[in-house]
Amino acid sequence: MNADPVASIIAGGLAAGDEIAGCTEQEIGALEAAFGRPLPSSYRAFLAVMGKSAGEFMRGTDMFHEHLAGLRAAAESLGLKSHPPVELRPTDWVFAMHQGYQFLYFDASAGADPAVFHVMEGEGPKPVAASFSDWLDGAIEDEIEGG
């Protein structure tokens, strides 16, 4: 992960410092308890610094704390519409869904900084980043450049 993704988001004009809020350790622990396994350290670090909000960063994408509990069920429903159907493994954590027709996930058992996969409605999973950290850095860069 970028040495300081929050600084990049602020410097890129995507958020003011007071628009960025992380999850508490208790909130992260509750997500892990519901999931039934620990989340990778790179993703836990993201949650701790900006898991609740990050200004305009990823606006329109459900990836912050208030949406996380329902993402897997929504992704599984979308996956059934894909050809061939996308079946998530018990260790797959869905961390983002955009407009109900695409989602991002990683295998939480694949180490501290797992690869990220993308599923678009009607399509199978495609690798999009070698690690969650790489995905986050790329997403920040894309949004700054597109802003």
Side-chain angles (χ1 to χ4, degrees):
M1 188 176 333
N2 179 321
D4 190 351
V6 171
S8 296
I9 287 171
I10 293 170
L14 297 174
D18 63 350
E19 295 176 307
I20 298 174
C23 297
T24 65
E25 185 59 37
Q26 292 79 12
E27 290 167 329
I28 296 169
L31 290 172
E32 290 176 323
F35 183 44
R37 66 191 74 247
L39 292 165
S41 59
S42 60
Y43 183 66
R44 286 180 115 261
F46 161 80
L47 290 173
V49 297
M50 66 180 95
K52 286 191 174 176
S53 64
E56 293 297 315
F57 176 64
M58 300 300 284
R59 174 95 43 195
T61 298
D62 295 337
M63 66 174 284
F64 297 103
H65 185 264
E66 68 180 304
H67 301 289
L68 292 175
L71 292 184
R72 184 179 178 98
E76 286 175 334
S77 176
L78 181 62
L80 293 175
K81 299 174 187 173
S82 296
H83 305 287
V86 175
E87 293 186 35
L88 295 172
R89 298 166 300 209
T91 57
D92 290 336
W93 174 260
V94 178
F95 70 90
M97 179 166 269
H98 185 73
Q99 304 295 316
Y101 70 92
Q102 59 183 311
F103 64 91
L104 294 161
Y105 73 96
F106 54 73
D107 179 352
S109 68
D113 203 4
V116 173
F117 297 86
H118 176 257
V119 173
M120 179 83 73
E121 184 173 10
E123 300 176 8
K126 293 180 177 66
V128 293
S131 68
F132 178 79
S133 296
D134 288 348
W135 175 83
L136 182 60
D137 290 344
I140 292 169
E141 286 178 28
D142 288 349
E143 292 219 8
I144 289 170
E145 290 171 8

